[in-house]
Amino acid sequence: MMKYYFRTEKMTVGYHKVPLIEKIEIGLEKGEILTLIGPNGAGKSTILKSIARQLALISGTVFLDDGNLQDMSGRELSQNMAVVLTEKLRTEMMTCEEVVATGRYPYTGRFGILSESDRQMVEEAMELVHVTALRDRDFTRVSDGQRQRVMLARAICQEPEIIILDEPTSYLDVRYKLEFLSVLQELRKEKKLTVIMSLHELELAARVSDKILCIRGKWAERFGRPEEIFKQGYLSDLFSITSGSFDEENGNMELPAIKGEAVVFVIAGGGCGRNVYRRLQRQSVPFATGILFQNDLDYPIAKALATEVITAKAFEPISDKLSECARKKVDQCKKVICCKKAFGTFEYANQELLDYARQSGKEIEMILTDGEPEKMKQIKKDE
């Protein structure tokens, strides 16, 4: 059996000796990031609390560097593991800096007096997650996102070997989500920090994780690398997605396509059609689109939202038969929307399709996006 820095053997977790998830087997090398995913209420937080010894294991063992976690003293555990869970820390009249400084208590004496090196560690941790400006603010009066970053600084200040995080990005905006996960990757790289966390954002889990654990029912259903987990159809099944779609390969989540015969044909490609597809979906307008290569940036969204996608094989010439199919679909639609300002060498078929729509007297809407807000020009039948 491969030697892992962190591993579990037949770990069963639950409450009041009643099993919730049974026989969990995890193996992580030092410096790896593990993300737990699964539906709400699946038991992700229960697993994290059990690893952190906030809940007693029902059975099984958790090992950290070959040492049984259950045999460690509280002080020893604190020097090896930091925990940031969703429960709010109880503070009374504490500044953000004072909250971060509590991460040094496993290393101070009985009276908790910070040394100069301890204070330096507090300073570095706050700078790392960009909360230095909050140092004198009352911890209870900062935003949820700021509070989350202060708690991460506190955990970093603890200098752990492993960090446990429960939904750490829940209250962060896009900027701070990316910064937060970038900090974790940097700590993994520089300090070989091992991270075990739960995330709701599947696209972030796919990008940041070395390993993923999928929870469903009483079992940890799958454990492996993201490319082993994010296979077409699996996550839709795991989360019982019946309305809309989630594309595991691209991380795209879309609302349901509008049913009915297409009344609009969209000429797009290279990613310029995505906003138009979503606008039509919001307006409850059924549409068809093409001609798109299977590796085109627009293709995954088109596949999810269009009633029909005229599709060409990647790196293959567009056949006359496919062009004819697209022309017939244009004939059936009342209007054509073209998202292309200019057509490339391999898009000659779409240029011909636009010319055909004009010659057929179709109403055409041109969407031009020169890096500015969308500009629309209506071209009437008689123009």
Side-chain angles (χ1 to χ4, degrees):
M1 183 175 69
M2 181 176 178
K3 181 179 178 181
Y4 289 107
Y5 169 72
F6 174 90
R7 62 187 173 91
T8 65
E9 286 187 1
K10 298 181 179 179
M11 181 177 74
T12 296
V13 302
Y15 295 88
H16 310 298
K17 298 184 179 180
V18 178
L20 180 63
I21 304 139
E22 301 182 30
K23 298 179 180 178
I24 304 163
E25 300 278 344
I26 303 171
L28 299 176
E29 296 181 43
K30 191 173 178 63
E32 286 194 312
I33 296 177
L34 167 68
T35 301
L36 279 58
I37 64 172
N40 285 338
K44 301 182 293 294
S45 296
T46 304
I47 293 174
L48 296 178
K49 289 177 181 178
S50 300
I51 291 172
R53 277 189 11 194
Q54 294 186 2
L55 286 175
L57 297 179
I58 291 178
S59 64
T61 314
V62 180
F63 294 98
L64 184 62
D65 202 17
D66 283 339
N68 189 333
L69 221 62
Q70 301 303 116
D71 295 336
M72 291 184 180
S73 67
R75 186 181 184 86
E76 188 180 5
L77 182 65
S78 296
Q79 290 178 345
N80 282 278
M81 180 183 291
V83 182
V84 181
L85 300 180
T86 51
E87 289 86 351
K88 292 184 178 179
L89 183 70
R90 292 183 179 180
T91 61
E92 295 181 6
M93 305 295 290
M94 292 179 70
T95 66
C96 291
E97 184 176 26
E98 288 169 338
V99 170
V100 175
T102 62
R104 295 306 300 164
Y105 287 175
Y107 303 94
T108 61
R110 178 179 299 179
F111 299 106
I113 299 173
L114 301 182
S115 67
E116 189 57 40
S117 62
D118 290 326
R119 294 188 183 282
Q120 181 65 31
M121 183 60 66
V122 171
E123 184 73 24
E124 290 176 4
M126 294 183 73
E127 287 179 0
L128 193 58
V129 295
H130 310 292
V131 293
T132 304
L134 303 175
R135 67 189 324 148
D136 297 323
R137 296 271 301 275
D138 185 334
F139 180 72
T140 62
R141 295 183 178 275
V142 298
S143 70
D144 286 334
Q146 291 170 328
R147 190 176 296 119
Q148 194 80 327
R149 286 187 287 135
V150 169
M151 293 302 293
L152 178 61
R154 176 179 180 263
I156 292 169
C157 198
Q158 205 170 315
E159 292 187 284
E161 296 286 326
I162 185 168
I163 187 170
I164 309 293
L165 302 163
D166 191 10
E167 299 295 345
T169 59
S170 292
Y171 301 109
L172 304 182
D173 61 27
V174 173
R175 171 190 169 185
Y176 288 121
K177 282 182 197 288
L178 295 174
E179 283 191 4
F180 189 98
L181 296 176
S182 296
V183 167
L184 291 184
Q185 286 192 325
E186 197 65 26
L187 290 170
R188 182 263 301 271
K189 178 182 176 182
E190 292 186 0
K191 300 181 181 295
K192 283 290 184 180
L193 178 70
T194 303
V195 179
I196 300 177
M197 64 180 171
S198 60
L199 283 179
H200 276 307
E201 300 95 331
L202 298 179
E203 69 282 5
L204 294 181
R207 286 160 175 73
V208 76
S209 310
D210 297 295
K211 303 280 179 60
I212 290 179
L213 184 71
C214 304
I215 313 299
R216 172 152 57 177
K218 292 181 66 175
W219 313 104
E221 187 174 77
R222 289 193 184 185
F223 173 68
R225 297 186 301 275
E227 57 268 27
E228 297 171 327
I229 302 298
F230 282 70
K231 292 188 174 180
Q232 198 67 38
Y234 172 65
L235 293 181
S236 296
D237 180 49
L238 176 66
F239 287 90
S240 301
I241 297 174
T242 56
S243 180
S245 62
F246 179 80
D247 189 322
E248 288 88 347
E249 187 174 328
N250 300 282
N252 290 323
M253 180 171 60
E254 302 295 342
L255 292 167
I258 304 303
K259 296 180 181 179
E261 286 294 321
V263 295
V264 173
F265 190 95
V266 182
I267 299 173
C272 68
R274 292 175 290 187
N275 290 336
V276 173
Y277 297 154
R278 289 168 178 151
R279 172 166 64 89
L280 292 171
Q281 192 278 341
R282 290 194 300 272
Q283 295 172 346
S284 298
V285 177
F287 68 92
T289 187
I291 301 170
L292 294 176
F293 291 103
Q294 289 175 329
N295 60 343
D296 193 281
L297 291 172
D298 279 332
Y299 180 71
I301 298 90
K303 186 174 63 172
L305 298 181
T307 60
E308 183 178 348
V309 184
I310 311 299
T311 308
K313 291 183 178 179
F315 309 113
E316 293 288 339
I318 296 174
S319 66
D320 292 340
K321 182 178 179 180
L322 200 60
S323 293
E324 177 62 25
C325 180
R327 286 193 292 270
K328 286 182 178 179
K329 182 54 65 173
V330 166
D331 288 338
Q332 295 167 10
C333 293
K334 296 179 180 179
K335 177 180 175 180
V336 172
I337 297 178
C338 181
C339 307
K340 302 289 292 186
K341 182 179 180 181
F343 294 90
T345 304
F346 298 103
E347 296 179 300
Y348 65 90
N350 280 341
Q351 174 69 76
E352 291 176 351
L353 192 60
L354 177 61
D355 293 340
Y356 175 78
R358 284 184 173 134
Q359 293 163 9
S360 301
K362 292 289 179 181
E363 179 184 343
I364 298 174
E365 180 181 335
M366 300 294 294
I367 308 292
L368 306 180
T369 54
D370 297 322
E372 298 181 11
E374 282 188 352
K375 295 180 250 179
M376 302 182 185
K377 179 184 177 185
Q378 295 291 131
I379 300 179
K380 303 299 183 182
K381 294 181 181 180
D382 58 351
E383 287 189 55

